[in-house]
Amino acid sequence: MNETTKILTIQDLSCFGQCSITVALPVVSAFGIETAVLPSAVLSTHTSGFTDYTVRDLTDDLPDIRKHWESEGIYFDAVYTGFIASAEQMDYIKDIIDSRLKDGGNVFVDPAMADFGEFYNGFDQDFADRMGELCKLGDYILPNTTEACFILHRPWKEHFTKEEMIEMAEELQNFTKRYVILKGYQNDSNEMGMIVLDKKTSSIEIVYNDKIDYVSHGTGDVFASSFVGSVMVGKSPVQAAKIAGEFTKKAVEKTIGDKKHKYGVKFEQAIPELQDLLKTF
């Protein structure tokens, strides 16, 4: 029997609210991939729409966790990073990637730190610069336009032309080993697009999905997690972007109309459709 593929995801654990680890663990696992977790912090809820939430930073725990894994001979086929609690954690995470990733393994970096032109609470340009350095370890990086602009020190705006998106993706080649997946392009047909750039071949492809006028916390995590799972079961980055875009859209569609569900999207109800998406693309 072949050894099971193992992925480590490093991001925060929000005890309530659909984001970060509570998305990554079930979604990546749904691809038949063993998924280990390393929480960067534990929060009572996520930070969008909630007040007085509790936060416990786990920076001090990271070195000892790595040492224990080393003593147990634990390695991973891929490392997938999301929300990182502090700039100080970057060096520990780099050490974990260097020591616990198998030879030839993949690194996926979702630089989850900003959206709609603004940093998440507690982050700043210095953090973005450190995140840019972490991205350089990534075989795949998955920024939205805001995160790309902060990494590149470019001004953000609500709408970018196709030419501007491609230009940003080309600049982001300096922050990845191989692939850039730049999210957030909207064309004149009201479709949402992702720029998929292959640094090795200089090829660029735009993947489109129908736009849904619904904004929710956690959709970036749904996209990133289903992208990671798709790549790890053998899909190309373009195919993975199509699957992730469609899966995210289905999760949003299952959430629209439920006014009480404002803390995420009902991605769990879309998981049974993942196998159909894998066969379609």
Side-chain angles (χ1 to χ4, degrees), residues 215-226:
V215 177
S216 175
H217 191 84
T219 51
D221 299 318
V222 172
F223 178 90
S225 300
S226 49

Side-chain angles (χ1 to χ4, degrees), residues 203-220:
S203 64
I204 294 174
E205 188 162 341
I206 304 179
V207 176
Y208 291 101
N209 295 102
D210 293 334
K211 181 184 178 184
I212 300 177
D213 289 321
Y214 185 86
V215 177
S216 175
H217 191 84
T219 51

Side-chain angles (χ1 to χ4, degrees), residues 48 217 276:
S48 178
H217 191 84
D276 289 337

Side-chain angles (χ1 to χ4, degrees), residues 45-276:
T45 67
H46 63 61
T47 60
S48 178
F50 296 100
T51 58
D52 300 324
Y53 47 83
T54 66
V55 181
R56 182 173 294 276
D57 187 307
L58 297 181
T59 300
D60 292 342
D61 294 277
L62 301 187
D64 288 339
I65 291 172
R66 183 200 62 78
K67 289 177 183 177
H68 183 222
W69 286 347
E70 187 172 11
S71 70
E72 294 289 340
I74 295 171
Y75 292 91
F76 301 97
D77 299 282
V79 175
Y80 156 34
T81 69
F83 184 97
I84 295 169
S86 67
E88 184 182 356
Q89 291 186 350
M90 301 284 190
D91 290 335
Y92 292 139
I93 291 169
K94 290 177 182 178
D95 189 35
I96 289 168
I97 291 171
D98 288 341
S99 65
R100 298 298 92 207
L101 182 66
K102 292 180 181 178
D103 290 341
N106 288 312
V107 176
F108 301 83
V109 179
D110 178 9
M113 60 180 174
D115 209 350
F116 300 108
E118 296 182 354
F119 282 109
Y120 296 154
N121 186 37
F123 295 157
D124 56 18
Q125 186 59 53
D126 178 66
F127 184 87
D129 293 340
R130 295 289 297 275
M131 180 63 77
E133 292 302 309
L134 181 64
C135 283
K136 291 178 181 179
L137 300 181
D139 300 283
Y140 304 81
I141 62 170
L142 298 97
N144 60 36
T145 56
T146 301
E147 291 155 350
C149 286
F150 284 135
I151 289 171
L152 296 172
H153 290 250
R154 292 176 60 123
W156 180 83
K157 58 184 181 179
E158 190 171 354
H159 296 291
F160 291 90
T161 66
K162 181 171 71 173
E163 291 73 23
E164 289 170 334
M165 290 288 291
I166 291 173
E167 183 179 287
M168 275 199 292
E170 290 175 337
E171 289 184 32
L172 286 166
Q173 289 182 97
N174 295 320
F175 295 89
T176 184
K177 289 183 176 180
R178 183 71 188 268
Y179 295 102
V180 176
I181 294 84
L182 177 58
K183 303 170 290 181
Y185 171 57
Q186 182 175 337
N187 65 14
D188 294 335
S189 299
N190 205 35
E191 295 174 313
M192 294 303 296
M194 294 153 281
I195 311 296
V196 180
L197 182 148
D198 183 342
K199 180 178 181 178
K200 183 176 180 179
T201 64
S202 299
S203 64
I204 294 174
E205 188 162 341
I206 304 179
V207 176
Y208 291 101
N209 295 102
D210 293 334
K211 181 184 178 184
I212 300 177
D213 289 321
Y214 185 86
V215 177
S216 175
H217 191 84
T219 51
D221 299 318
V222 172
F223 178 90
S225 300
S226 49
F227 179 89
V228 169
S230 297
V231 168
M232 293 304 295
V233 297
K235 296 297 183 180
S236 72
V238 170
Q239 290 171 320
K242 291 178 180 178
I243 292 166
E246 286 297 320
F247 179 67
T248 305
K249 186 180 76 169
K250 289 179 181 295
V252 170
E253 289 173 340
K254 294 181 183 298
T255 313
I256 293 175
D258 187 346
K259 295 181 179 180
K260 294 181 179 179
H261 202 99
K262 293 294 185 182
Y263 49 85
V265 290
K266 299 180 181 181
F267 70 90
E268 300 93 341
Q269 296 182 18
I271 283 178
E273 300 178 52
L274 267 176
Q275 291 303 314
D276 289 337

Side-chain angles (χ1 to χ4, degrees), residues 114 119 272 277 279:
F119 282 109
L277 289 174
K279 294 175 183 176

